[in-house]
Amino acid sequence: MDIQALYAKHGEWLRDWLRRHTRCRERAADLSQDTFRRLLEQPAPSSVASPRGYLATVARRLLIDDIRRQTVERSVLHAWCILQGDREDITPARIAEAVQLLDVVMRALEAMPDLIRRAFLLKRVEGLCQEAVAERLGISLSSARRYIAQAYAQCLTASYVD
Amino acid sequence: MVLEGADVSAEDRDACAAWCAEHPDHWRTLEQLVRLNDALAPGGDGLEQVALGRLVERSETKRKRVWAASLGALALALVLVGGGVLWSMRDTSARFHTEIGEQRAIALRDGSRLILDTGGTAAVEMAGDARNVTLVKGQIFAEVAEGRDRPFVVTTPDGTITALGTAFVVRRQDRDTLVTVVESRVRICPAARVADKCRIIGSGQRARLTAAAVTPLADIAPDAAKLWTTGWIEADDRSVSELLSELNRYRPVPVRFDAKALADVRVSGSYPLHDTDYAIQGIVRSTGLRSERSPDGVLIIRR
């Protein structure tokens, strides 16, 4: 597939599409750039039936990533606001680190099947032990262990996408 | 490297080691996992923990809303969505703050709910069986989930308010604390711990709490006591300067007025707290007072 031709023919269309979806000219321009960069970096199919559909699919994924990142950033800043009354050692670098880590975790959570995600959250966020997780979800202890392990595996894999 | 402490079997550890040996990337991913574990471990600065709690609450509420709506329980879900923070970490504490004009709903892990009013600061601590809220500044509405053996206590510098039932309002003022019971009863104890100074008040009753004593005040309609939590303020033949002072709590730039000059002006009506400019226009119209802007842009109310 000729990315350059795709850009020349549908670049403007993609920027319009993104502008409609972001309601922000700057973000639309950034995401349009990112979309084509992504296409250049990844092995592209030799031909696609609908070039615009293909572009929109890649762009939509980037848009979702972008929104998630913003949500994570807001939440970390919010957490920082709550905590700073007690802690003065939370630095900008520390905030960036937390955003990066939670971005990975949230991406993995989104992709998880319902039961696996809930098992992971009960264990990690609510701090229940495996027995309590099993009881809460009405599943066997061995299932709970398997689900939690799978959730971890997915968190790990998520950190290696892109 | 410890994988999940006591939960980990020898096979798990072997499997992990084998997996790590497969590819150098696997080591790096394992490092990420350790970072997540470390970040969520007690004793850290809590940044990831608080942020993740909020993120999870948002996304889980979104999921929940899908089925809640189909069950016709939309109203409940919307309450949860309304800027709430599910504070779902175990054995930790968190601090909440609202800007002038802001109100925040805080959903606690035990099912209790707090609403923190304008310019407020509160700390919540849920350790073991304790449910402690420290009101540093401002006003809070507490709707307490049942838990007979888990006392729910609001503390201010003036003393403590212990829930014996479900809903009440606590307001910390400069020199004292006002307590209003919306539903059921609370026990109020002054900070100077003298056993017989404690007092129990019930639905619709109000009391002033100082470090030395609890003084009963005139009763109030329970619904009126928590009206502010819905974003409205009501006046029923109330002194206009009192109402303006109340509105000023929600205004980053307060309106200026001479309380003495307006002493005999009364007002009745319902006004929105989220648009106090609009509220003040309404008050001015119904009382026949005048409003004008000073050169520095401050709203001034006079006869």
Side-chain angles (χ1 to χ4, degrees):
Chain A
M1 194 171 49
D2 184 354
I3 308 286
Q4 230 164 3
L6 202 63
Y7 183 82
K9 216 164 170 188
H10 304 292
E12 191 56 38
W13 173 85
L14 181 66
R15 271 193 297 281
D16 278 344
W17 186 90
L18 281 164
R19 214 171 291 148
R20 280 199 305 281
H21 282 76
T22 59
R23 299 202 190 126
C24 171
R25 187 176 293 273
E26 284 73 28
R27 269 182 75 205
D30 286 349
L31 286 168
S32 163
Q33 292 296 327
D34 289 347
T35 304
F36 283 103
R37 193 167 55 221
R38 177 69 59 94
L39 291 182
L40 287 169
E41 283 165 4
Q42 73 186 17
S46 54
S47 72
V48 287
S50 159
R52 288 188 174 181
Y54 181 65
L55 281 178
T57 304
V58 176
R60 197 176 290 119
R61 218 153 37 209
L62 289 172
L63 193 60
I64 291 169
D65 287 348
D66 194 47
I67 291 168
R68 183 195 315 106
R69 181 92 183 179
Q70 287 186 349
T71 312
V72 168
E73 271 168 11
R74 266 203 304 277
S75 295
V76 171
L77 287 175
H78 175 84
W80 173 65
C81 282
I82 291 173
L83 294 168
Q84 70 171 350
D86 312 319
R87 321 269 318 191
E88 278 160 10
D89 51 349
I90 301 178
T91 60
R94 177 74 189 86
I95 289 171
E97 181 193 49
V99 168
Q100 199 244 325
L101 180 60
L102 291 180
D103 192 33
V104 167
V105 171
M106 291 311 288
R107 180 173 8 192
L109 285 175
E110 281 165 19
M112 280 178 202
D114 205 47
L115 261 181
I116 292 182
R117 191 189 69 256
R118 280 168 62 203
F120 178 78
L121 291 177
L122 288 172
K123 176 93 176 74
R124 263 318 355 168
V125 180
E126 300 216 14
L128 300 185
C129 65
Q130 293 187 347
E131 285 78 5
V133 172
E135 195 187 295
R136 186 82 77 85
L137 294 178
I139 55 179
S140 70
L141 180 58
S142 60
S143 298
R145 287 186 57 179
R146 197 172 62 245
Y147 288 164
I148 293 164
Q150 281 174 9
Y152 271 119
Q154 236 157 327
C155 269
L156 300 179
T157 330
S159 60
Y160 278 83
V161 178
D162 346 85
Chain B
M1 178 102 48
V2 180
L3 267 184
E4 286 301 291
D7 290 341
V8 180
S9 69
E11 300 113 78
D12 290 344
R13 231 170 273 134
D14 290 346
C16 177
W19 182 74
C20 287
E22 275 172 30
H23 196 280
D25 270 1
H26 289 179
W27 261 115
R28 279 174 51 211
T29 54
L30 201 63
E31 277 167 25
Q32 286 272 5
L33 170 61
V34 173
R35 274 182 62 209
L36 177 63
N37 264 333
D38 288 350
L40 296 180
D45 59 23
L47 195 57
E48 278 91 354
Q49 203 173 25
V50 174
L52 185 60
R54 183 181 165 86
L55 281 165
V56 164
E57 189 263 343
R58 285 175 59 113
S59 60
E60 294 302 293
T61 307
K62 234 187 281 168
R63 286 174 207 271
K64 225 177 273 168
R65 194 165 39 162
V66 176
W67 62 257
S70 67
L71 293 173
L74 187 63
L76 174 72
L78 287 176
V79 166
L80 290 171
V81 172
V85 177
L86 175 70
W87 184 64
S88 60
M89 275 64 64
R90 204 173 59 161
D91 292 353
T92 46
S93 58
R95 217 178 153 87
F96 300 93
H97 176 73
T98 49
E99 299 296 325
I100 301 289
E102 187 192 4
Q103 294 184 337
R104 168 172 290 165
I106 302 158
L108 302 182
R109 186 173 174 275
D110 67 331
S112 299
R113 192 167 70 105
L114 301 176
I115 298 177
L116 183 60
D117 200 10
T118 174
T121 304
V124 180
E125 189 197 355
M126 306 274 263
D129 286 341
R131 299 185 287 176
N132 293 320
V133 176
T134 306
L135 181 61
V136 181
K137 208 170 76 172
Q139 171 164 255
I140 204 158
F141 170 68
E143 208 166 49
V144 181
E146 214 180 322
R148 209 170 284 277
D149 43 357
R150 304 186 62 197
F152 189 105
V153 183
V154 177
T155 304
T156 78
D158 297 310
T160 59
I161 299 98
T162 307
L164 303 174
T166 45
F168 57 98
V169 174
V170 180
R171 176 161 168 173
R172 168 75 183 141
Q173 308 188 122
D174 288 343
R175 288 184 205 82
D176 54 17
T177 298
L178 285 184
V179 184
T180 310
V181 179
V182 176
E183 211 178 304
S184 197
R185 298 176 305 151
V186 301
R187 184 173 61 243
I188 309 173
C189 295
R193 283 259 168 215
V194 187
D196 59 355
K197 289 280 178 66
C198 291
R199 201 180 257 270
I200 292 176
I201 65 170
S203 174
Q205 295 186 312
R206 287 199 298 166
R208 168 173 288 119
L209 169 65
T210 63
V214 183
T215 321
L217 299 171
D219 290 2
I220 182 174
D223 282 346
K226 63 163 202 177
L227 189 69
W228 62 267
T229 65
T230 64
W232 288 86
I233 187 168
E234 222 170 53
D236 184 17
D237 191 30
R238 194 170 179 188
S239 123
V240 78
S241 50
E242 217 179 274
L243 182 61
L244 289 174
S245 311
E246 195 62 23
L247 284 170
N248 271 348
R249 294 179 52 235
Y250 297 85
R251 291 178 64 84
V253 182
V255 289
R256 229 177 268 158
F257 59 95
D258 180 351
K260 237 181 242 161
L262 303 182
D264 60 335
V265 182
R266 316 287 297 180
V267 63
S268 296
S270 293
Y271 305 98
L273 291 173
H274 300 310
D275 187 350
T276 54
D277 275 347
Y278 182 80
I280 283 159
Q281 275 174 30
I283 293 168
V284 165
R285 245 198 320 273
S286 69
T287 53
L289 294 171
R290 288 183 304 126
S291 71
E292 59 190 63
R293 293 244 173 223
S294 72
D296 52 348
V298 177
L299 208 55
I300 302 171
I301 309 291
R302 58 179 54 152
R303 282 181 183 268

